[in-house]
Amino acid sequence: MEWATSFFGRLMKSDSSSSTSSTPWFAVDSTEPLLTFVDVPPELTVRDLNKATRSFSAARLIGRGHNVTVYKAVLPSGTAAAAKVLGTPPSGAWSMCWCSRCSSKAAVCKKLAPPPPSGAWTASHDAFLRQQVSVLSMLRHDNLVRLLGYTIAPDLRVLLFEFATAGTLHDILHGPRGEPEQCSSASRPAVTLSWAQRRQIALDVARGLQYLHEAAAVSHWGVRSTNVLLFEGLRAKIGSYDVFEQLPRPGEQGGDTLVAKRTLVPTCGYLPLEYLMTGLRVPRKADVYSFGVVLLELLTGRKPIDMDNHKLVTWAIPLVRKGEVEQWIDPKLGTQYPPAGALMLARIAEQCLHQCPRSRPSMGAVAQMISDIVRD
C-alpha cells in the first residue's frame, strides 16, 4: 500500500513543517489546526446504528446517490449525522464510492429501499475501507464535512458524516432537487442569501478546496452546489470529497500531468472543456473550473444549465467582460450589493473558467483573492 504511506507522509510533512516555520507550509484562516492527528472515530455496532436510524425507517431516509443510500441518524452522543450506507464495491477495483452525491436536505424519496446488498464485498474490500476511515479521520478543516463514525459488519457498511442542518447551496439557490421549475412559491427556498453570506460561502468553499489541494494533495472530483453543505450561520463545508479513487498506485502518473482515473458521474454544467472533449482531467485544475461555475451560481442565482439547455458560463462570461453587473447579478439581491465587489468576484470566476487548465489560478490564490474582497 505505497499510496497510503505516501499520503500519510504528506500529511505528516505538512504538520511538522507548519510547526517549525514562521510561515506555515499551508496557511488559511481557521478556528482549528489544519491537520490534527486524532483517534479513528468510533465504530458503531449494527444495533447502535439501527437505533440511530430507527432501523433505517422511511422517516429517516434523506436520499440516494451513486451506489449509496443516505439516512439521518442520531448518534449515542445526541449528535445528528448523515448515515451513508455503501452499496457493492465496483467490480475489479480497489476504490469505491463511499460518499453520497446527495445532501442532508435533499428531497426525501417516498419509497423506502432496504440497505444496498453487500454480497460482493470481500475481506480485502473491508480492509481497504478501514484504511479509508483512517485517512478521513486525519482530514480536519473547518470547511470539510467531518467523519463522525462508521460501521463495518458482514451485511452492512456505513460511514457517518456531519449533518448539514441548513441543506445544500443548490437547495437554497434553486429549491430542492427533483422539483419542476414551475413549482409553487410555497416550495421555493425559504432563505434568500445576502451579499455578505454569498461572499462568505465562496470563501468557505475556496478554503476547503485549498486544503484538499495543498495539504492532502488530492482533488475533489465533484465540485458543485449540491456538494456545498450549509451549517449553522450558513457556513459552508465541502462534502463528497473523493480522496481514494485518485491516490497514485505503483506505476501511475501523478502531479499535474493529464490523467484519467475513472469515468466521472455526469455533472451537467460543471465539467471543464478538456474533460468533455477528451475524457481527461488535469488534477486540481478541473476543481478550479468547477469552483468557477459554483461562484457564478452564487452571483447570478442561476443553474449551470437551465431547462432550455442554456449554459450559465456561456451566458454570463460575455456580460462579465462588459462589466454589466446589473445584467447578470441575482435579482433577489435587489440593490443590496456592491457592484464593484460583485464584478471582482465575477472576474475571479472568469479566471477559474479559463479554457487552458494551466492558466487557471490555484485554489490558494483564489482563496486569497476572495479573502481580500471579504475584508474590504
Side-chain angles (χ1 to χ4, degrees), residues 97-112:
C97 178
W98 52 268
C99 210
S100 172
R101 303 300 180 187
C102 304
S103 75
S104 61
K105 286 289 186 178
V108 175
C109 178
K110 301 302 181 183
K111 296 180 180 179
L112 174 63

Side-chain angles (χ1 to χ4, degrees), residues 252-313:
E252 290 185 336
Q253 290 181 321
D256 293 325
T257 56
L258 282 170
V259 294
K261 295 291 185 182
R262 64 180 173 98
T263 300
L264 299 179
V265 175
T267 52
C268 293
Y270 294 99
L271 294 179
L273 185 63
E274 66 269 13
Y275 181 80
L276 295 174
M277 293 182 64
T278 66
L280 300 178
R281 292 182 58 146
V282 178
R284 294 181 284 283
K285 292 297 186 177
D287 285 352
V288 177
Y289 182 95
S290 300
F291 173 81
V293 179
V294 172
L295 187 50
L296 284 183
E297 277 187 87
L298 268 170
L299 293 170
T300 67
R302 294 181 175 229
K303 293 182 178 181
I305 297 181
D306 64 20
M307 289 187 65
D308 297 321
N309 206 34
H310 296 147
K311 293 185 178 180
L312 174 59
V313 173

Side-chain angles (χ1 to χ4, degrees), residues 298-356:
L298 268 170
L299 293 170
T300 67
R302 294 181 175 229
K303 293 182 178 181
I305 297 181
D306 64 20
M307 289 187 65
D308 297 321
N309 206 34
H310 296 147
K311 293 185 178 180
L312 174 59
V313 173
T314 304
W315 172 81
I317 293 303
L319 297 176
V320 170
R321 289 171 179 166
K322 293 178 182 179
E324 299 172 346
V325 177
E326 67 282 356
Q327 293 192 24
W328 50 259
I329 199 71
D330 189 345
K332 291 192 290 291
L333 283 169
T335 59
Q336 303 302 307
Y337 68 92
L343 186 58
M344 291 173 67
L345 277 182
R347 287 179 171 160
I348 293 173
E350 182 184 2
Q351 293 180 52
C352 294
L353 296 166
H354 199 287
Q355 290 188 359
C356 177

